[in-house]
Each structure stands twice: as C-alpha cells, then as structure tokens.
C-alpha cells in the first residue's frame, strides 16, 4: 500500500459524525492512520452506505476523490491532491 499525503484545509468525516475541516494536527493523525492501518478510494454511494452520508453528498464526483482510512474516517481530496509516496 502506498503512503498517502493529506493536505490541510480539506474536509473529512469520522464514522457516524459530522464532517469537519482537516487542520494540521488532524492531517498528521489521518496520514499516520492511513499509512499504518491502510486506506482505499471509495465511491460516494459506497461511502453513504457505510455511514459517511454528509461528506459523500458534499463531495463533487468529477473533481473529488473519497478516501476511506481504517474504515472509520473518510477524507475528501481533490483528485489532483491524491498523492501517493
């Protein structure tokens, strides 16, 4: 699995919680989780079924990538920001 870089300023959602802004500390925590527990890109319909409806509805499929981290966090990245190290 490739390492994932999460930029500050995007949006994320913890399972069954409201979406929130990715701040510096959050980005570090989510990157660490992604790079140790794993991550995968998911489609909005799958994310909704998994309890991430707010962020899935907010995202724009043409420009955004939804990344599921450790089955508990969903991060919305601009497709151009989906950078894997």
């Amino acid at each position: 699995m490739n390492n994932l870089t999460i930029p500050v300023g995007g949006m994320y959602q913890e399972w069954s919680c409201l979406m929130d802004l990715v701040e510096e500390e959050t980005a570090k925590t989510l990157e660490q989780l992604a790079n140790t527990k794993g991550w995968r890109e998911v489609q909005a319909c799958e994310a909704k079924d998994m309890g991430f409806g707010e962020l899935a509805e907010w995202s724009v499929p043409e420009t955004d990538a939804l990344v599921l981290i450790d089955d508990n966090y969903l991060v919305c990245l601009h497709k151009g920001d989906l950078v894997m190290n």
Side-chain angles (χ1 to χ4, degrees), residues 16-50:
S16 288
C17 294
L18 297 176
M19 64 184 205
D20 202 357
L21 181 68
V22 176
E23 296 178 0
E24 191 169 333
E25 202 56 42
T26 308
K28 289 178 187 175
T29 301
L30 289 172
E31 281 179 10
Q32 184 178 16
L33 264 176
N35 297 327
T36 57
K37 300 284 188 178
W39 63 273
R40 65 185 175 96
E41 189 173 354
V42 296
Q43 299 301 313
C45 57
E46 183 181 1
K48 286 179 203 172
D49 290 344
M50 297 175 73

